[in-house]
Amino acid sequence: MLQIYNSRLDTQIQSRLHRLVRYAAMAVVPKSQRQSVIRKYLDEYNCMPPPIFILTISIIEIAIFIYYCVILGEVSTSGPVPWKSILIYNPCRRYEVWRFFTYMFIHAGFYHLFSNLLIQLVLGIPLEMVHKWWRIGIVYITGVIAGSLASSLSDPHTFLAGASGGVYALLAAHLANVVMNWEEMDFNWARLLTIIIFVSTDISVAVYDRYKSSQRNRVSYSAHLAGSLV
């Protein structure tokens, strides 16, 4: 009886895995490649490790944001901005090289955090399921580092916070995939319009916060563009 139960459980898990991979493939893979991608992924997939890169990054970002909300006693659409954090990119402390990477864990307010989480979870998880965590990790981290390097050159006196470099690297990669496989992508116009609306809104808010808000809330927006170029 135990053997039969285990067999049924394995079948259920396999069926759910098939559905998850199929949904992920429908989100990010052209129609002509879906069957081969699904078959290849299921043949290689062994849950070691599971696709948790984006989830792990997101949980860390949320935890650090909550930590500084409690420490600084503030939470709003544009705050808190923990200027003294050892994680934020500080243009006066470039010699602390880890800041070129760790600034991704700091967010300037609830809107900043929410917009980044929305894209990296909705888009990053399907990409990670299909293309493996380490490929998505390379794209994401490269976008983050490029963002801080670009900011240090184009906006050398401004702090930098947020995971926008990594998020925009994923977003632009998906946009390139949609454009190159336009006829084979489901809801191609809806995807394109959604990306355009999000990017336009997000960059407009970032530019406004940089040039029109108080000095206290100014952070650089160069990472958006650098991540996209990467």
Side-chain angles (χ1 to χ4, degrees), residues 26-45:
M26 289 177 64
V28 298
V29 178
K31 294 176 183 177
S32 61
Q33 301 176 22
R34 287 176 189 169
Q35 290 303 318
S36 60
V37 167
I38 292 173
R39 189 179 303 109
K40 183 174 184 294
Y41 185 84
L42 290 175
D43 288 342
E44 297 178 356
Y45 187 75

Side-chain angles (χ1 to χ4, degrees), residues 24 28 122-133 136 170-171 173-174 177:
V28 298
V122 171
L123 185 59
I125 290 177
L127 283 170
E128 189 176 342
M129 288 189 66
V130 172
H131 298 295
K132 302 296 181 64
W133 70 271
I136 302 307
L170 295 181
L171 194 62
H174 182 60
N177 188 38

Side-chain angles (χ1 to χ4, degrees), residues 164-190:
S164 297
V167 169
Y168 273 72
L170 295 181
L171 194 62
H174 182 60
L175 177 60
N177 188 38
V178 171
V179 172
M180 289 189 297
N181 300 283
W182 182 257
E183 298 297 332
E184 296 188 55
M185 298 300 291
D186 294 329
F187 311 109
N188 44 22
W189 279 107

Side-chain angles (χ1 to χ4, degrees), residues 3-68:
Q3 185 176 5
I4 295 174
Y5 173 78
N6 289 335
S7 177
R8 290 179 178 176
L9 184 60
D10 290 341
T11 302
Q12 291 177 356
I13 293 174
Q14 195 72 9
S15 177
R16 290 174 182 173
L17 178 61
H18 275 270
R19 288 199 296 270
L20 283 174
V21 176
R22 188 173 293 107
Y23 292 148
M26 289 177 64
V28 298
V29 178
K31 294 176 183 177
S32 61
Q33 301 176 22
R34 287 176 189 169
Q35 290 303 318
S36 60
V37 167
I38 292 173
R39 189 179 303 109
K40 183 174 184 294
Y41 185 84
L42 290 175
D43 288 342
E44 297 178 356
Y45 187 75
N46 58 7
C47 292
M48 296 297 290
I52 58 171
F53 173 79
I54 292 296
L55 283 174
T56 302
I57 293 294
S58 300
I59 291 171
I60 294 173
E61 290 169 359
I62 293 171
I64 291 177
F65 179 75
I66 293 173
Y67 170 79
Y68 282 111

Side-chain angles (χ1 to χ4, degrees), residues 8-222:
R8 290 179 178 176
L9 184 60
D10 290 341
T11 302
Q12 291 177 356
I13 293 174
Q14 195 72 9
S15 177
R16 290 174 182 173
L17 178 61
H18 275 270
R19 288 199 296 270
L20 283 174
V21 176
R22 188 173 293 107
Y23 292 148
M26 289 177 64
V28 298
V29 178
K31 294 176 183 177
S32 61
Q33 301 176 22
R34 287 176 189 169
Q35 290 303 318
S36 60
V37 167
I38 292 173
R39 189 179 303 109
K40 183 174 184 294
Y41 185 84
L42 290 175
D43 288 342
E44 297 178 356
Y45 187 75
N46 58 7
C47 292
M48 296 297 290
I52 58 171
F53 173 79
I54 292 296
L55 283 174
T56 302
I57 293 294
S58 300
I59 291 171
I60 294 173
E61 290 169 359
I62 293 171
I64 291 177
F65 179 75
I66 293 173
Y67 170 79
Y68 282 111
C69 285
V70 173
I71 294 297
L72 300 177
E74 177 187 356
V75 56
S76 66
T77 56
S78 58
V81 183
W83 304 108
K84 297 181 180 180
S85 171
I86 63 172
L87 302 178
I88 197 171
Y89 172 78
N90 184 336
C92 299
R93 306 181 74 88
R94 289 189 179 90
Y95 57 88
E96 296 175 342
V97 294
W98 66 84
R99 293 177 183 266
F100 284 86
F101 166 74
T102 58
Y103 78 92
M104 64 180 280
F105 297 119
I106 301 294
H107 287 81
F110 178 78
Y111 172 80
H112 193 200
L113 176 67
F114 176 78
S115 60
N116 282 340
L117 288 177
L118 177 65
I119 293 299
Q120 69 186 34
L121 288 174
V122 171
L123 185 59
I125 290 177
L127 283 170
E128 189 176 342
M129 288 189 66
V130 172
H131 298 295
K132 302 296 181 64
W133 70 271
W134 59 269
R135 291 190 180 99
I136 302 307
I138 289 173
V139 173
Y140 190 91
I141 299 302
T142 303
V144 167
I145 295 175
S148 57
L149 293 174
S151 179
S152 69
L153 294 174
S154 64
D155 207 356
H157 305 297
T158 306
F159 283 70
L160 182 64
S164 297
V167 169
Y168 273 72
L170 295 181
L171 194 62
H174 182 60
L175 177 60
N177 188 38
V178 171
V179 172
M180 289 189 297
N181 300 283
W182 182 257
E183 298 297 332
E184 296 188 55
M185 298 300 291
D186 294 329
F187 311 109
N188 44 22
W189 279 107
R191 292 171 189 258
L192 181 61
L193 289 175
T194 300
I195 291 174
I196 291 174
I197 292 171
F198 172 81
V199 170
S200 301
T201 303
D202 194 50
I203 292 184
S204 297
V205 171
V207 172
Y208 176 84
D209 286 342
R210 170 62 181 87
Y211 292 109
K212 295 298 184 181
S213 64
S214 64
Q215 181 68 33
R216 177 176 175 275
N217 288 329
R218 287 183 179 177
V219 293
S220 177
Y221 62 88
S222 304

